[in-house]
Amino acid sequence: MEKTWEHKFVGDWIMSKISSILIANRGEIALRVIRACKQLGIKSISVYSDEDNRSIHVKRADESYRLGPAPASESYLRIDKIIEIANAAGADAIHPGYGFLSENDGFSEECKKHGIIFIGPTAKAMQLAGDKMKCKELMKKAEVPTIPGSEGVVEDVDKAAEIAKDAGYPVMLKSAFGGGGRGIRLVTNEKELRQEFELASNESKSAFGKSALFVEKYLDNIRHIEYQLIRDSSGNGRHLFERECSIQRRHQKLIEMSPSPVVDKHTRAKVGEIAVRAASALDYLNAGTAEFLSDSSGNFYFIEINARLQVEHPVTELVTGKDLVKLQIQVAEGEDIEFKQEDLELRGCAIECRINSEDPFDDFSPSVGYVPTCNIPNGPGVRVDTYLYPGCNVSGYYDSLVAKLITYGSDFEEARLCMRNALSEFNIEGINTTIPIHKTIIEEQNFINGNMSTNYIEKYDIMQKMLQIRSREYESKSHAAVSALLLQSEYVKKYYSDQNQDKIIHNSSRGNI
């Protein structure tokens, strides 16, 4: 199918009016993009693996095309196949979602070669954002504060030990190409550093195909706070305020919220301006996130830019009233951002819980399979982004995220109570999920008081508290079952007693007593 438009280049970027978008993803993010397309009157084109042929994103899109077998390497990671389908379907643009190819600069480059708009940053900006050492160098030039550590990649363990000594232990060994907590090792002394250096190097090779480590000062009792960014082709950058992402397990986010309990209006504006400066340093385009660590003294340190739409973007949408996916599409078409920074206002509070198909009572082991039924919560202040429906299948081939539960309130407490109620309504049969740990956290006093850090789960013994809650629930159910049995027993006794009494009365009336 031939395209009906002509594209133009603005620097490295292809810009044009978009009439059709291929979504190179699956699950809830594919559905999210499809909904934005429908609102903008844009044709949506979905792709699917054999594992996903009955998935809801396939049914909701205007057109759907088979990619290949179930493994991601044979389907959702096949750049050649996705480009082939995009050309055949006449797609003007491709939205990568998050995960899979969303931060693959080669994919962005291939789209450009084929005259297809990539709804995201340029390949060059992605390369810079993905190379943590080059990114760090640019940030220093732009006077963006970074964490003390090595100035570049460290290939020699002796050099790493020297840098660690200067920075002061503990330090972290991190892959320059890492993300999502992969390729990270914490060491507290030189002996551990020498032991872990080779392991971290091998882990980096395994995860990213290459080893490039850097040494970074480990900050204790820190918060992970990120800023949502959007930047257009005219160089207009905006931040849409912060998200508190400190509630994590093994560097994987569990709960996000906005605003952060520790960010006041002055800090919000100050760090937000730094985040916009960071995006400008990379000549960034479209939506992205500037990630920071904040210490107990309130200092903010830049760590990276995530060059894609984030899983937790609904949190920002609820507190700003801005549709980030629509904004992405408009920026990709070459439009300037229509609002100024001072036009934005942070209203209320939003909280997101990531619902994963994992068993929190069995070390978060994967839980997959057929879902015979599910009850999705709804009501005022409740949003659920999910691909679940009664009769669907949760696959073991892909990411474990099955739903994002987001609640909104006029303040934190209202949003929290709304989340508590929504979690109690959320029921997914057939698989285990992380709902129990979310229920525990939402009611935990330190969370309520805003005492959050990246080691929150360990620091406040959340897993043990979750087990205690389950034990009490079992005990309560056991007592309820015994009570029910006793009531039933009393009922049966009374029934037969009444029956016998009726017989006596009946026989007496006949003179047979």
Side-chain angles (χ1 to χ4, degrees), residues 242-258:
E242 82 280 0
R243 293 186 292 254
E244 173 77 60
C245 304
S246 300
I247 307 296
Q248 303 177 6
R249 174 186 171 271
R250 296 178 184 172
H251 305 287
Q252 300 294 318
K253 298 168 188 172
L254 293 174
I255 295 177
E256 302 95 352
M257 71 177 73
S258 184

Side-chain angles (χ1 to χ4, degrees), residues 147-183:
I147 300 171
S150 57
E151 295 293 328
V153 170
V154 182
E155 297 180 355
D156 178 68
V157 68
D158 291 328
K159 182 65 176 176
E162 182 184 326
I163 293 167
K165 185 178 179 181
D166 290 339
Y169 287 99
V171 298
M172 298 187 83
L173 301 176
K174 302 175 74 173
S175 170
F177 309 102
R182 294 167 296 178

Side-chain angles (χ1 to χ4, degrees), residues 8 10-11 13-15 231-236 283-286 330-337:
K8 63 179 180 178
V10 179
W13 309 316
I14 302 174
M15 301 288 169
R231 190 169 183 270
D232 62 32
S233 56
S234 298
N236 302 308
D283 200 13
Y284 194 85
L285 176 72
N286 216 281
Q330 289 161 354
V331 167
E333 290 180 318
E335 294 184 23
D336 285 353
I337 299 168

Side-chain angles (χ1 to χ4, degrees), residues 454-479:
T454 54
N455 66 343
Y456 167 86
I457 298 293
E458 298 79 20
K459 185 176 181 179
Y460 298 115
D461 211 4
I462 300 302
M463 301 306 294
Q464 185 60 35
K465 289 177 180 177
M466 181 184 69
L467 290 170
Q468 290 169 354
I469 289 170
R470 167 162 280 199
S471 178
R472 288 196 297 269
E473 286 175 349
Y474 279 162
E475 189 176 336
S476 176
K477 286 177 182 178
S478 177
H479 288 162

Side-chain angles (χ1 to χ4, degrees), residues 26-32 35 98 311 385-387 401 404:
R26 64 181 296 278
E28 60 85 16
I29 187 57
L31 285 168
R32 174 70 187 85
R35 291 189 182 105
Y98 47 72
V311 172
D385 287 13
T386 184
Y387 66 85
L401 182 71
K404 299 184 312 198

